[in-house]
Amino acid sequence: MQALSKNFFLYLSNNKTLDRLAKRWGPKFGASQIVGGETFEEAIPLIKQLNEQGLHLTVDHLGEFVNSEEVAKERAHECVETIRHIHQHQLNSEVSLKLTSLGLDIRHDLVWDNMIMIMEEAKKCNVVVTIDMEDSTRTEKTLDIYKSLKEKYDNVGTVIQSYLYRTDQDIDDLNTYNPYLRLVKGAYKEPSDVAFTDKPDVDNNLKHIIKKNLLNGHYTAIASHDDAMIDFTKQFAKENNIQTDQFEFQMLYGMRNQTQLDLVKEGYKVRVYLPYGDDWYGYFMRRLAERPANVAFALKGVFKK
């Protein structure tokens, strides 16, 4: 039943008609509970509030699968402006981005030039940029770009998904780059020849790569709402004398709020992933696919006055 529910929401995430309707009626369907605002300026007061609670942030201008060079350049300039705002307002925040929003599916030199422009501004403003991982057809290109950028910039990270078979080898290949990695389970619909289909296998592989990256001595972000995964990380770090400044927990804005604050009180670093923009539909559907219990959360947003 859970697998059917996941496939259903992943199918909906690619529905262009519903995407157009969502942009029009977004606030009615719970978007305001998981998105910081339609513009970054709207999100600034919320970021400051979360910072005051001891939470770190990473912000993401929603949008992906851009097939227009003009739009890709617009998204890149939007990211640069966001970095400037973070610096100007002294916000405790990183920036996350998707390469498909910057032209990955159009031309290599386009996405590369956009990333260099973004990274130069991020370096000047001392802001960390994390490259989100997308579906498996784009994994190799994403990691190739990350490795090239890592040779030029220290303030860049990327994401590794535990449901892919290739993940263990990717961790090994990245080891020499002193990577900053966000480790996640994965949220795209993938064929069984490239990804684990059973949840226990995905969970076990996530634990495996958490251990591997931490023991390699690299800074690690554990992006999970799963109490078992959080407890596993705490225990493993304690048993292996891994200091809390080598890792952090990451969670989505609007989900597990109390858990986030409890971890901060325990002395752990917690980063909240805060998206903004009106292109929220695909993101929201993938969150429902990851955790079908979030359906109740979404319905609450529909009828909330």
Side-chain angles (χ1 to χ4, degrees):
M1 190 66 173
Q2 184 173 348
L4 286 173
S5 177
K6 178 176 181 178
N7 288 336
F8 173 69
F9 286 113
L10 288 175
Y11 169 77
L12 291 181
S13 72
N14 293 314
N15 189 296
K16 304 302 182 185
T17 301
L18 290 177
D19 183 41
R20 287 193 296 271
L21 290 172
K23 288 179 181 178
R24 183 176 179 182
W25 299 104
K28 291 287 186 183
F29 290 90
S32 62
Q33 298 183 59
I34 63 167
V35 176
E38 290 193 358
T39 67
F40 184 74
E41 288 86 346
E42 290 179 15
I44 289 175
L46 176 59
I47 296 171
K48 289 182 176 180
Q49 177 187 333
L50 294 170
N51 284 166
E52 289 170 359
Q53 294 175 329
L55 296 165
H56 304 254
L57 272 289
T58 185
V59 296
D60 176 22
H61 184 217
L62 290 169
E64 52 196 289
F65 309 129
V66 167
N67 54 21
S68 161
E69 184 170 330
E70 181 181 359
V71 173
K73 290 179 179 178
E74 288 174 359
R75 293 288 171 84
H77 285 288
E78 162 69 23
C79 193
V80 168
E81 285 302 309
T82 295
I83 290 168
R84 288 173 180 164
H85 281 304
I86 290 172
H87 180 69
Q88 176 186 347
H89 294 276
Q90 299 183 336
L91 304 175
N92 187 339
S93 180
E94 298 179 355
V95 169
S96 293
L97 54 80
K98 289 180 172 59
L99 293 183
T100 54
S101 73
L102 303 175
L104 181 68
D105 294 344
I106 302 172
R107 292 196 329 272
H108 177 80
D109 61 328
L110 174 63
V111 69
W112 178 255
D113 290 346
N114 283 337
M115 278 304 303
I116 291 296
M117 178 176 66
I118 290 167
M119 291 308 306
E120 284 297 314
E121 191 66 29
K123 181 179 180 181
K124 185 167 65 175
C125 294
N126 195 29
V127 172
V128 173
V129 175
T130 297
I131 301 171
D132 284 343
M133 192 57 70
E134 303 179 68
D135 63 85
S136 62
T137 64
R138 297 171 173 90
T139 300
E140 190 72 24
K141 289 181 180 179
T142 300
L143 289 179
D144 285 346
I145 290 173
Y146 173 68
K147 290 173 184 176
S148 296
L149 289 171
K150 198 68 173 65
E151 293 175 352
K152 295 169 63 69
Y153 306 98
D154 292 328
N155 58 322
V156 61
T158 193
V159 178
I160 295 293
Q161 300 163 314
S162 73
Y163 67 174
L164 296 180
Y165 298 142
R166 60 173 292 161
T167 290
D168 185 55
Q169 185 60 51
D170 286 336
I171 293 286
D172 289 341
D173 292 343
L174 290 167
N175 186 37
T176 58
Y177 290 85
N178 187 27
Y180 165 29
L181 298 179
R182 177 194 300 152
L183 305 181
V184 305
K185 293 181 182 180
Y188 292 84
K189 183 173 175 57
E190 300 288 0
S192 59
D193 60 329
V194 301
F196 296 107
T197 56
D198 294 330
K199 183 178 182 299
D201 292 331
V202 177
D203 290 350
N204 287 335
N205 202 35
L206 181 55
K207 290 178 180 178
H208 172 68
I209 62 176
I210 289 171
K211 291 192 293 186
K212 197 166 195 176
N213 205 54
L214 286 174
L215 291 177
N216 283 344
H218 306 312
Y219 192 81
T220 305
I222 298 91
S224 176
H225 300 118
D226 188 342
D227 287 329
M229 205 62 64
I230 293 168
D231 291 340
F232 165 80
T233 303
K234 290 180 182 177
Q235 188 62 31
F236 182 77
K238 187 180 299 182
E239 291 173 354
N240 291 273
N241 296 315
I242 295 170
Q243 301 303 306
T244 56
D245 61 0
Q246 193 188 323
F247 66 94
E248 65 183 50
F249 295 108
Q250 293 191 1
M251 297 185 188
L252 303 173
Y253 169 65
M255 299 183 188
R256 305 300 309 272
N257 296 347
Q258 190 56 52
T259 299
Q260 296 171 16
L261 297 176
D262 289 343
L263 286 168
V264 171
K265 289 178 182 177
E266 292 174 31
Y268 294 101
K269 185 174 181 178
V270 178
R271 189 175 304 280
V272 177
Y273 186 100
L274 178 69
Y276 69 96
D278 64 357
D279 196 5
W280 61 274
Y281 174 75
Y283 168 81
F284 193 27
M285 288 299 110
R286 287 195 295 275
R287 300 295 77 79
L288 296 182
E290 283 177 332
R291 192 166 180 260
N294 288 337
V295 175
F297 170 86
L299 291 176
K300 180 180 178 182
V302 173
F303 297 107
K304 185 178 179 181
K305 295 182 180 178

